[in-house]
Amino acid sequence: MADEKMDKDVTQQAAEDLQQAAGENVQADAAEPEETAGDERPETAEADGADEAKEKKGFFSKKKEKKEDPMKAQVGELQDKLVRQMAEFENFRKRSEREKATMFETGARSVIEKILPVVDNFERGLAAVPEEEKDTPFVDGMTKVYKQLIKELEGLGVTPIEAVGQPFDHNVHNAVMQVENDELEPGTVAQELQKGYKYRDTVVRHSMVAVVQDK
């Protein structure tokens, strides 16, 4: 009996020791999370505050960019319109100048073509004057008028086309007949039937010529 009671007391004491040890472990485990939570709480709060500040900053910066972008786009569009209008005006100015020059050239050619027959008549009339009458006042006056007319035409850029003794050139000569000539090479202009003229670099009237035929 005494041995059984002793064993029971030992067993009960061991159980109490185990319970006490278990209780201490539970309290230690419960205390550790509280300390950890306490340590991490300030860092988490700071991180949350930084993220919130970034979000606010990002929000306002985006909002600011949205306000500036339409203005930049409008300025760029106005600049493009200005450049296009300036280019169109420059093209219009150049086109107007070309049209004006073309109209002037056309008008000048038309006037020159009408004056050339007058020049032809002067030359025919002076060539038909007898030698003994060339010193008369009338013939002298007509000669001076003819020379003045030729001088004015030269001042406008009207020049006669060289013909006699020149190789035939279909760009400036108009062959109306062929002749025999032992002194000139075949294909050379032997006679000028009607004088041709140029206005600057453009042919106003082709020379009517007789060309040496091939042998």
Side-chain angles (χ1 to χ4, degrees):
M1 293 292 292
D3 293 335
E4 290 178 0
K5 185 177 181 180
M6 186 178 294
D7 292 335
K8 185 177 180 179
D9 293 336
V10 172
T11 302
Q12 185 177 1
Q13 184 65 35
E16 290 177 356
D17 293 337
L18 289 172
Q19 289 178 357
Q20 185 177 1
E24 291 176 356
N25 291 332
V26 171
Q27 291 178 357
D29 294 336
E32 288 179 0
E34 291 178 359
E35 293 177 358
T36 305
D39 294 338
E40 293 179 355
R41 195 170 296 164
E43 296 177 358
T44 305
E46 292 178 359
D48 292 341
D51 293 338
E52 185 177 356
K54 289 181 179 179
E55 289 179 359
K56 290 182 179 180
K57 185 177 179 181
F59 174 76
F60 286 113
S61 62
K62 290 180 180 179
K63 189 174 182 180
K64 188 175 180 181
E65 289 177 359
K66 287 181 179 179
K67 289 183 179 179
E68 293 178 354
D69 287 343
M71 186 173 294
K72 289 181 180 179
Q74 187 176 5
V75 171
E77 184 178 355
L78 292 175
Q79 288 177 345
D80 292 340
K81 287 183 179 179
L82 178 61
V83 171
R84 286 196 298 269
Q85 288 180 355
M86 291 179 64
E88 290 176 358
F89 177 77
E90 184 67 18
N91 293 333
F92 171 77
R93 186 183 64 80
K94 291 180 179 179
R95 185 169 60 253
S96 298
E97 290 180 354
R98 287 195 300 267
E99 292 176 354
K100 188 185 297 183
T102 302
M103 292 175 63
F104 179 81
E105 295 292 327
T106 303
R109 283 173 55 89
S110 178
V111 173
I112 292 167
E113 288 174 356
K114 293 177 180 179
I115 292 176
L116 291 179
V118 179
V119 176
D120 295 338
N121 292 331
F122 264 108
E123 291 176 349
R124 292 190 191 99
L126 293 174
V129 174
E131 189 68 28
E132 62 273 11
E133 295 182 4
K134 288 185 178 180
D135 294 334
T136 61
F138 177 77
V139 175
D140 184 63
M142 292 297 100
T143 302
K144 290 180 179 179
V145 172
Y146 168 73
K147 290 181 179 180
Q148 183 180 3
L149 180 59
I150 295 299
K151 183 178 180 180
E152 293 298 330
L153 289 174
E154 290 177 352
L156 293 174
V158 180
T159 55
I161 297 173
E162 295 183 6
V164 178
Q166 300 295 320
F168 175 76
D169 184 359
H170 67 277
N171 293 316
V172 294
H173 300 146
N174 183 18
V176 296
M177 60 184 297
Q178 289 184 337
V179 296
E180 294 182 359
N181 192 316
D182 296 334
E183 297 179 358
L184 299 174
E185 295 291 331
T188 303
V189 176
Q191 185 180 359
E192 184 181 54
L193 305 176
Q194 187 181 52
K195 188 178 293 185
Y197 290 89
K198 281 184 177 182
Y199 172 58
R200 297 178 181 176
D201 295 330
T202 305
V203 177
V204 178
R205 188 176 73 181
H206 291 72
S207 298
M208 293 178 62
V209 298
V211 183
V212 179
Q213 64 184 1
D214 296 335
K215 297 178 181 180

